[in-house]
Amino acid sequence: LGAALRIQAAVPATGCCVCRNWISTTPRLDYIQRRTRLRVVDNSELGRRAMEAGKPPRVMHVYGKKLKAATGDMVMVAILGQKRRGFIVGARRPEGPLRPQFDSNNLVLLNDEGQPLGNRILAPVPSFLRANRNPKLDYTKLLAIATKFV
Amino acid sequence: IQLEMPPAPSAAAGSCALSLGSRFLFGCRVTAAHRFAASPVQPPSPLHQQPHLQPCRQGRRWLRPELRGVYKPRLSPEAMKEFWRLSGIGPDHSRAKAADQQAEVPPEIKRLYQEALPPIVSQDYRDPIVESLHRAEMMRRRRVINIPEFHVGSILAVSVMDKHAPNKVNRFVGLCILRRHTGLFTTFTLRNMVDQVCVQIEYELYSPSIVSIQLLKLERRLDDNLLYLMDAPHSHCTIPFDMVPEPYSRNDPVPVNRERVRLNPPPWMCKWHLHGYQGIDLEHLYSYLSDKDVAKAIEFSKAYKRYDLLDQYLNRVPVPDADYAFKDIFIQHQELLQHQQQQQQSSKKSEVISKLTGTA
């Protein structure tokens, strides 16, 4: 999926492990918010070019009257000088039991009508997204192009 | 090290604390004098004035809901007895009496029921009745589904009810990297690489949504969690979904995988060198660090914490409580084995009956 990018991770709050050591750290940047860089996981031309150039899309705006985005939210991203809508299909933030957590924040690019730009999603998609619950977006077509549900 | 139990607060002091309905504000320092100002009893021993409520730099300390000390109104003795009769626990119940009289439990019980230990929380937030109920519920759930013995480093296949899946069941295979919490809310996290993307899913061990937990490989690692695999090459957590289960013998000790993982170059998600992990290739790890960081890591590994009695007191379950929990579980484990035998016999019986009567 393009060049391997080392996206700078925030240091998680310690004490989440079973070993109980309290080390002073900055608070964990849990959610996807403005300025967050995401990883495009569909096979769209724009996404592929951006990831190979080493210029991943950056979140500009989170839809739904909120400041933070998680799996299942629609965002507006700046990608190669363009503004595009995207849908988050996976996040680094742990969501709780039975909900998968990924090693990267995965994005599927959408056009202005909300239809996916590519025709395949190359990363596994969480199964709970099949409930199709986003009030701002009907992403049935997106689920149709997903290859694997987790 | 076997610690001597510190002098426990008198029963009167304990019950007084409950009846006062003390609500602790997280993040504030609360002294014993303030808590016991209104009561005629002695404040607890100095060991109990310890830092579980000191202001925490990380902000509010969040306790899981089932552990928070919420004020509960006192029940009359008759109401308590009725409650004990209905729930099957309590000081007069036969199982509690049997547990008190039980000799040492076999070591395999401690392997099978690691989550039966009470939580490592200060005594104010622990409720023995709740813990007893949790154990009973855990054993009831084990009559419905077989929960195998596994450790961090084992490979499991978990099937979960999923209304959106085509077969209504969602199966995931992964390496167990973490086991958290105790009692009914024990969770474990599986990690695997799917389509070049690493996925981690947390499951609650006793969740009724779980259809089956299948053990594919029984193994242990040198650490009690493998969170550093997030910064390791993906080959360490790639498990094929069609992996065939490896047979194992219950009588053998659990094999230990002494593999030392080489992490990817920094930046890392966490300062792995400061947590005392044995499963990381330390020479390779230190080659990425500055001299100052290496000195810090070596300082940490000197294990001075072994001599920190207070750290051990706060971070261990008191030995009598642990013993009682395992004895209670052992009695219910024997009942579970009886139940399983009865089920096998009844299923054999129904097989024989159906053969004789000619039904399918």
Side-chain angles (χ1 to χ4, degrees):
Chain A
L1 260 184
L5 237 95
R6 297 290 315 175
I7 297 174
Q8 178 75 36
V11 177
T14 51
C16 62
C17 313
V18 179
C19 38
R20 291 165 206 91
N21 298 306
W22 291 98
I23 300 171
S24 174
T25 59
T26 51
R28 182 174 169 156
L29 303 175
D30 259 66
Y31 283 99
I32 295 164
Q33 50 192 335
R34 284 183 296 184
R35 302 283 299 163
T36 304
R37 287 162 292 177
L38 305 173
R39 179 187 181 191
V40 181
V41 295
D42 58 15
N43 63 351
S44 59
E45 178 63 30
L46 178 62
R48 197 180 53 78
R49 271 193 296 127
M51 296 308 289
E52 279 177 3
K55 296 186 176 175
R58 254 182 223 263
V59 177
M60 279 171 62
H61 176 252
V62 178
Y63 289 96
K65 284 194 185 164
K66 50 186 175 174
L67 300 172
K68 306 280 166 69
T71 317
D73 289 333
M74 187 165 69
V75 294
M76 163 94 77
V77 294
I79 180 167
L80 290 182
Q82 305 173 32
K83 286 197 300 189
R84 282 271 169 237
R85 286 190 184 178
F87 185 78
I88 295 171
V89 292
R92 286 186 93 158
R93 181 176 189 270
E95 299 246 0
L98 299 182
R99 293 187 161 207
Q101 173 193 357
F102 297 82
D103 269 15
S104 56
N105 298 313
N106 301 335
L107 181 82
V108 173
L109 292 169
L110 308 171
N111 61 17
D112 293 333
E113 281 80 50
Q115 305 303 315
L117 287 183
N119 52 20
R120 228 166 23 124
I121 298 177
L122 302 164
V125 175
S127 186
F128 68 87
L129 288 181
R130 286 191 268 209
N132 208 339
R133 279 269 173 88
N134 193 324
K136 294 275 173 182
L137 176 71
D138 177 20
Y139 51 89
T140 320
K141 191 117 191 274
L142 199 144
L143 297 171
I145 65 170
T147 46
K148 179 114 208 253
F149 286 100
V150 144
Chain B
I1 297 171
Q2 278 285 345
L3 294 176
E4 262 181 316
M5 275 300 291
S10 57
S15 59
C16 226
L18 284 172
S19 67
L20 283 174
S22 31
R23 254 184 185 270
F24 298 110
L25 300 170
F26 296 117
C28 300
R29 185 188 286 273
V30 176
T31 57
H34 164 78
R35 271 168 60 190
F36 289 87
S39 76
V41 295
Q42 293 288 323
S45 66
L47 273 172
H48 284 263
Q49 295 173 21
Q50 282 317 317
H52 56 275
L53 290 171
Q54 272 181 357
C56 180
R57 269 196 220 113
Q58 278 74 20
R60 259 168 28 121
R61 187 174 297 204
W62 186 87
L63 265 183
R64 288 163 37 233
E66 61 267 12
L67 293 174
R68 281 178 207 156
V70 178
Y71 173 67
K72 293 180 180 74
R74 301 205 84 183
L75 294 175
S76 64
E78 293 79 27
M80 271 314 276
K81 278 203 172 138
E82 184 59 25
F83 170 72
W84 280 333
R85 190 186 66 77
L86 290 170
S87 62
I89 55 162
D92 296 331
H93 193 257
S94 58
R95 200 179 78 220
K97 278 191 184 151
D100 280 331
Q101 287 157 16
Q102 176 69 39
E104 268 298 312
V105 300
E108 67 157 11
I109 295 295
K110 300 191 178 177
R111 255 170 65 172
L112 286 173
Y113 299 105
Q114 302 158 40
E115 64 272 6
L117 279 175
I120 298 171
V121 180
S122 81
Q123 294 283 355
D124 302 328
Y125 302 113
R126 280 192 45 207
D127 192 342
I129 294 176
V130 168
E131 285 160 23
S132 198
L133 287 170
H134 278 208
R135 286 194 290 268
E137 283 297 306
M138 280 154 61
M139 299 313 285
R140 276 174 70 184
R141 176 70 187 159
R142 279 178 183 254
R143 292 186 178 203
V144 176
I145 177 181
N146 175 44
I147 295 176
E149 173 202 356
F150 67 98
H151 302 261
V152 168
S154 306
I155 297 171
L156 297 171
V158 176
S159 297
V160 159
M161 287 197 271
D162 185 1
K163 60 183 175 184
H164 303 295
N167 300 334
K168 304 293 179 195
V169 164
N170 192 352
R171 184 170 180 264
F172 187 74
V173 172
L175 176 75
C176 178
I177 58 168
L178 184 62
R179 277 187 78 145
R180 282 164 118 191
H181 305 145
T182 55
L184 205 53
F185 300 96
T186 316
T187 57
F188 63 100
T189 312
L190 297 184
R191 181 176 171 86
N192 202 350
M193 189 156 94
V194 181
D195 289 353
Q196 320 299 322
V197 173
C198 279
V199 187
Q200 271 173 217
I201 310 184
E202 191 181 24
Y203 297 97
E204 282 171 324
L205 197 57
Y206 293 97
S207 169
S209 311
I210 290 181
V211 172
S212 76
I213 304 173
Q214 189 191 15
L215 180 68
L216 300 178
K217 186 173 185 188
L218 180 64
E219 206 175 54
R220 261 177 58 207
R221 293 279 187 118
L222 295 171
D223 304 307
D224 58 4
N225 68 68
L226 303 176
L227 291 169
Y228 52 81
L229 291 182
M230 288 195 270
D231 280 325
H234 294 166
S235 55
H236 285 107
C237 54
T238 308
I239 291 124
F241 265 62
D242 52 3
M243 180 172 171
V244 172
E246 286 183 19
Y248 66 96
S249 166
R250 289 275 289 273
N251 300 322
D252 293 340
V254 179
V256 181
N257 184 352
R258 297 189 179 270
E259 180 189 12
R260 284 178 184 260
V261 167
R262 289 197 157 192
L263 299 187
N264 291 331
W268 296 315
M269 275 202 70
C270 183
K271 297 179 185 178
W272 304 116
H273 55 285
L274 290 176
H275 289 259
Y277 284 110
Q278 300 298 310
I280 303 180
D281 187 344
L282 292 175
E283 260 189 59
H284 180 78
L285 182 71
Y286 292 166
S287 68
Y288 289 126
L289 300 174
S290 67
D291 291 338
K292 199 167 124 183
D293 288 333
V294 172
K296 256 195 198 171
I298 289 171
E299 170 76 27
F300 177 88
S301 69
K302 272 182 188 161
Y304 69 93
K305 287 210 173 216
R306 194 170 3 136
Y307 305 107
D308 188 351
L309 288 180
L310 196 64
D311 184 70
Q312 287 172 44
Y313 172 69
L314 289 175
N315 294 328
R316 286 188 189 191
V317 181
V319 171
D321 294 356
D323 280 346
Y324 180 78
F326 281 126
K327 286 171 184 174
D328 192 21
I329 278 277
F330 178 57
I331 291 162
Q332 296 181 72
H333 171 73
Q334 287 169 324
E335 285 168 18
L336 172 68
L337 292 177
Q338 276 176 8
H339 179 256
Q340 283 172 349
Q341 271 183 350
Q342 278 169 8
Q343 277 209 315
Q344 275 181 356
Q345 281 171 1
S346 68
S347 73
K348 276 185 192 159
K349 231 184 184 176
S350 61
E351 259 182 57
V352 167
I353 288 168
S354 64
K355 273 187 186 163
L356 288 173
T357 55
T359 50

